[in-house]
Amino acid sequence: TVTWTPPSPLGNTTGYRISYTTGSDVDIDGGSTNSYTLTGLTNGKTYTISIVTTSSGLPSAPLVVTVSLVPSAPFIDSTPTVSATTVTITGSVPRDSVVTGFLVQWQRDTSGGCTNEDEGSINATGSFTSYTITGLEEGNRYTITVKLYNDAGRGPVSNSVTAKTIEAAPSGSPASITVGTLTANSVTLQWGEVACLERNGEITGYTVTAANSDGVVKGTSSVNVDARQATISGLTPSTQYTVSVAAVNGAGTGPVTALPVETEGPPPPTGVTAVQDGPTSITVTWTPPSPLGDTTGYRISYNTGSDVDIDGDSSNSYTLTGLTNGQTYTISIVAIAPNRPTSSPIEAQVSLVGVPEKPTVDMDNIETSPTTITTSWSFPPDATGSEVSWELTGQMRRRRVSDAEGVTSGRLPKD
């Protein structure tokens, strides 16, 4: 677009003639006209433009300006060539464009969670046909554009293409691994992301393991990329483990972040019952913990300061004796492991009711006849009656003789 200021005064000016290159003239009518747009020119070419007034007389002396057109946008092929750290683009420039150099720009895609810290541009001389961008990050996606330039300046931007460098296994490990919940048989872990520049590709998941002191892996878990939390179960109580987390991408598994942990002591026994089975005894039964872990036995506590240690991890019952008839006992049981805290206690409660002790039978004063046996006995304290049993040719017979306190003898019937 050529602009000018008409002469003052106009005089006999009737129009203007614009000339550009050899033999290319445009006549413009109207003495007050002050601009005109030349079209159909060659992109990138430099033009010398002159303008004179036209009138009924001679034309004026020419006014001359020189202008260069910036290049049009180049085109980039949609299939760049990639390596782990380079991208090579190819393309073409518009026909007849005058090009003295080009500007290549790239920017990393942030969809993988990284920031735009890896971006750049570079100027190169000559006409654009191809260019290799170096020093890129492995396994990252980049958006690339090109601008051409000449003495007139930079032209518009090209189409954009996307290229992903070849992945490598992560070179960094997850950050800030912490233990969430720790039990006798499991451990729950949380962790942070791998540093952006150490991912070397898109992280697709994590591998979590727990290994004992011999290096034997006792548990493993594969975790979705968004979770960053896992629970490993099936561990042994009271045992040292090294738990580790490693990131995974399409090229492999990266280095681990490791943390030592120790599972809790054995779990408590279950199903505890306490039943009176005599005037001064209680039988306690239970189900051993599962898994047993390094359980070596059990400790039964009843009331204050009374403990009984029982050896054997699979033991499941014990009878407490020498108790006080009529007293209520609170009984607890825990699993024992060597040099470890005991498990949480499981309790049962039972009251010893007044079951009388055995009577004393006078074995020296038994009288017999062809059809009877006569014996006598003494009542223990708190007894209110008697029940007599006898056996005849393998058959047990039983009869309550009297409920009256003070009866000390009885006669068996003929049968």
Side-chain angles (χ1 to χ4, degrees):
T1 296
V2 185
T3 60
W4 61 88
T5 302
S8 178
L10 282 172
N12 59 352
T13 299
T14 58
Y16 302 92
R17 175 172 293 151
I18 297 176
S19 301
Y20 57 101
T21 68
T22 302
S24 298
D25 298 330
V26 176
D27 287 337
I28 306 163
D29 292 332
S32 59
T33 304
N34 65 354
S35 69
Y36 187 81
T37 298
L38 301 172
T39 60
L41 306 181
T42 300
N43 183 280
K45 186 175 180 181
T46 299
Y47 289 87
T48 300
I49 302 170
S50 68
I51 181 170
V52 297
T53 59
T54 58
S55 64
S56 55
L58 295 173
S60 67
L63 293 176
V64 179
V65 295
T66 301
V67 64
S68 297
L69 299 185
V70 297
S72 296
F75 175 78
I76 309 176
D77 295 333
S78 60
T79 55
T81 302
V82 300
S83 71
T85 59
T86 66
V87 172
T88 299
I89 56 173
T90 58
S92 59
V93 301
R95 181 177 298 178
D96 297 328
S97 285
V98 175
V99 178
T100 58
F102 54 93
L103 173 69
V104 181
Q105 296 175 299
W106 62 91
Q107 182 174 339
R108 180 168 47 205
D109 186 355
T110 61
S111 61
C114 293
T115 62
N116 279 341
E117 59 189 89
D118 187 13
E119 59 184 359
S121 63
I122 191 166
N123 286 300
T125 58
S127 183
F128 168 69
T129 56
S130 68
Y131 188 79
T132 298
I133 306 171
T134 61
L136 302 179
E137 297 295 331
E138 296 172 310
N140 279 267
R141 194 178 302 277
Y142 293 87
T143 299
I144 305 167
T145 59
V146 175
K147 293 180 180 179
L148 305 177
Y149 63 85
N150 58 21
D151 292 341
R154 291 176 183 170
V157 69
S158 69
N159 60 304
S160 63
V161 296
T162 300
K164 183 180 180 181
T165 53
I166 296 175
E167 286 188 330
S171 56
S173 57
S176 62
I177 180 173
T178 58
V179 175
T181 302
L182 185 65
T183 70
N185 310 114
S186 67
V187 58
T188 299
L189 305 173
Q190 295 95 33
W191 57 89
E193 294 183 293
V194 179
C196 184
L197 297 181
E198 296 176 341
R199 297 176 189 176
N200 302 335
E202 183 179 355
I203 301 299
T204 57
Y206 299 90
T207 297
V208 186
T209 59
N212 63 15
S213 57
D214 295 328
V216 178
V217 175
K218 292 296 185 179
T220 184
S221 177
S222 295
V223 184
N224 179 276
V225 64
D226 297 324
R228 296 207 305 278
Q229 175 175 304
T231 298
I232 298 180
S233 304
L235 305 181
T236 302
S238 306
T239 303
Q240 288 275 356
Y241 288 94
T242 298
V243 293
S244 59
V245 182
V248 180
N249 64 15
T253 302
V256 301
T257 297
L259 186 71
V261 298
E262 182 176 354
T263 51
E264 293 184 347
T270 58
V272 177
T273 61
V275 178
Q276 177 179 354
D277 64 357
T280 59
S281 62
I282 295 174
T283 295
V284 185
T285 60
W286 62 89
T287 301
S290 179
L292 283 169
D294 54 354
T295 299
T296 58
Y298 304 90
R299 176 170 295 150
I300 298 176
S301 301
Y302 53 103
N303 294 1
T304 305
S306 299
D307 297 329
V308 176
D309 286 343
I310 304 161
D311 292 332
D313 56 5
S314 58
S315 300
N316 63 356
S317 69
Y318 187 80
T319 298
L320 302 172
T321 59
L323 307 180
T324 301
N325 187 277
Q327 182 173 334
T328 298
Y329 287 87
T330 299
I331 300 167
S332 68
I333 181 171
V334 296
I336 300 174
N339 302 318
R340 309 290 183 191
T342 57
S343 68
S344 302
I346 297 296
E347 293 186 346
Q349 191 174 78
V350 63
S351 297
L352 293 181
V353 297
V355 177
E357 299 178 5
K358 293 180 181 180
T360 301
V361 179
D362 187 357
M363 301 300 295
D364 295 330
N365 294 302
I366 297 178
E367 298 178 3
T368 64
S369 74
T371 59
T372 63
I373 298 174
T374 301
T375 186
S376 62
W377 56 86
S378 61
F379 270 80
D382 299 327
T384 59
S386 305
E387 184 176 86
V388 181
S389 300
W390 67 95
E391 184 176 340
L392 176 64
T393 62
Q395 297 181 357
M396 175 64 71
R397 306 294 179 88
R398 178 178 292 110
R399 173 173 294 181
R400 184 174 295 279
V401 178
S402 174
D403 289 333
E405 184 175 357
V407 174
T408 58
S409 65
R411 181 183 296 274
L412 300 181
K414 290 178 63 176
D415 62 357

